Amino acid sequence: MKLQRKNRRALALGAFAVSGALALTACGSDDTGSSSNPSSSTAANSSIKCDDAKGQLLADGSSAQKNAIDAWVKSFTQACSGVQINYKGSGSGAGVTAFTQGQVAFAGSDSALKPEEVTASKSVCKGGTGIDLPMVGGPIAVGFNVPGVDKLVLDASTIAKIFDSKITNWNDAAIKKLNPDAKLPDLKIQAFHRSDESGTTDNFTKYLIAAAPADWKYSGGKAWQAKGGQSASGSSGVAQQVKQTSGAISYMELSYAKDGIVPVTVDTGASAPVEATVENATKAIAAAKIVGTGKDLSLELDRATKAEGAYPITLVTYEIVCDKGNKADTLPATKAFLRYIASEDGQGQLSAAGYAPIPDDIIAKVRTTIEGLS
């Protein structure tokens, strides 16, 4: 099975490389170093439709999707040389604030807009409102760094107690019970959480609320509420702390769980514990329901799922944009970029980067909505 995953990853990476090569070819160049302008047309040898896209797009938000956005921006701007895209990845809270204040063309958020944020967006979206477009899915890995332990099974109750400072040592009886064959050291647990307002925090705690209500008594949200533990900013920040701290554990997107970080396998109550993989996250997202109204496509996930092979700690990142009232100078580039990342080619890049593509029936609605943006 591991070999099959590697083969699939290799194929996906190969496709990504070919896509990038085609995009480079599409730009065109001469001996002076100037590039052809693909504006108002589909760039040659590329599936990316540039239309009249030009100028600079400012965007901010979810750090969870930053690795995906970076790959998308690289391919898109190679094909559409007249566009520059600056996505900061400062966190979902910062992105939504920037959007409702009119500072960015679109924002990324791992949580759908709240009613008060929708209301605030109306002052920016003249004659319209901010809407949620699901674009990136994926597992939130509970990554750990414990010397001598390369596999760890935890359930929702144990995870909740660890992050609420109720379980403080790696050889605790509750962890031993779930891992009878592991050589768990007498080592203090160093639990890290996000210091910034984060949609990843929101989704992680929604899982704890749904799957371990007796052990997680907090209301949830983008801001961390439990006492104790240590903090760091952004997904890259908590990942760095886990890498360099013996006994550390934190929550982060799967694409950040590497270089010494091992993802926990989650006991959901299914016949076997579930690994944090793109395939298993896709199984969970496929069961999501659209709960948004009008053009809003926000989703509801079953976070307490016991379905076989469905990884429960999963998030969906939304691109937040005005349905109407987008600024005239950024609308063409915004639509062109969103059209590309929602396309089959754009979604096809996600698995290689550790993300899950949005299910076909949902992404089809996203594509239709993008074409109607004005």
Side-chain angles (χ1 to χ4, degrees), residues 7 37 54 85 88 102 139 162 181 199 223 266 296 311 339 342 351:
N7 287 339
N37 184 1
K54 59 183 178 180
I85 300 175
K88 290 184 179 180
I162 287 172
D181 298 326
V266 179
D296 186 87
Y311 185 76
R339 179 188 296 120
S351 295

Side-chain angles (χ1 to χ4, degrees), residues 171-362:
N171 64 355
D172 187 274
I175 302 177
K176 283 184 174 180
K177 185 177 179 180
L178 290 164
N179 301 273
D181 298 326
K183 294 181 180 179
L184 297 166
D186 182 7
L187 179 66
K188 183 181 178 181
I189 294 173
Q190 307 282 352
F192 287 87
H193 57 265
R194 291 279 292 273
S195 59
D196 53 320
E197 287 203 356
S198 161
T200 310
T201 294
D202 189 19
N203 282 275
F204 178 63
T205 55
K206 280 178 179 176
Y207 159 72
L208 296 176
I209 291 167
D215 300 300
W216 194 260
K217 300 295 186 179
Y218 304 97
S219 60
K222 293 177 183 176
W224 185 257
Q225 296 172 323
K227 306 300 181 183
Q230 302 176 65
S231 65
S233 179
S235 295
S236 59
V238 294
Q240 183 61 37
Q241 290 300 322
V242 174
K243 288 177 190 177
Q244 65 188 26
T245 306
S246 179
I249 187 170
S250 188
Y251 54 93
M252 66 203 74
E253 294 67 44
L254 183 62
S255 62
Y256 291 91
K258 53 189 177 182
D259 301 332
I261 302 176
V262 183
V264 163
T265 301
V266 179
D267 183 345
T268 63
S271 63
V274 184
E275 294 183 6
T277 67
V278 170
E279 294 86 353
N280 292 342
T282 299
K283 291 178 183 177
I285 296 171
K289 298 178 181 178
I290 295 176
V291 293
T293 58
K295 293 182 179 180
D296 186 87
L297 298 174
S298 55
L299 304 176
E300 182 178 81
L301 301 170
D302 180 4
R303 301 176 190 276
T305 181
K306 295 181 180 180
E308 297 297 327
Y311 185 76
I313 320 176
T314 301
L315 61 73
V316 170
T317 299
Y318 302 94
E319 310 312 330
I320 296 171
V321 67
C322 297
D323 60 351
K324 297 178 182 178
N326 289 279
K327 294 179 180 178
D329 58 339
T330 58
L331 178 59
T334 299
K335 286 183 72 169
F337 182 64
L338 294 180
R339 179 188 296 120
Y340 163 60
I341 67 178
S343 71
E344 185 175 347
D345 285 351
Q347 290 288 299
Q349 291 190 19
L350 290 174
S351 295
Y355 297 96
I358 301 300
D360 290 345
D361 58 335
I362 298 174

Side-chain angles (χ1 to χ4, degrees), residues 15 25 30 48 57 60 70 86 139 146 180 182 184 291 294 298 315 361 373:
T25 302
D30 55 30
I48 299 174
L57 277 187
D60 196 3
D70 286 349
N86 181 5
V146 179
L184 297 166
V291 293
S298 55
L315 61 73
D361 58 335
L373 299 179

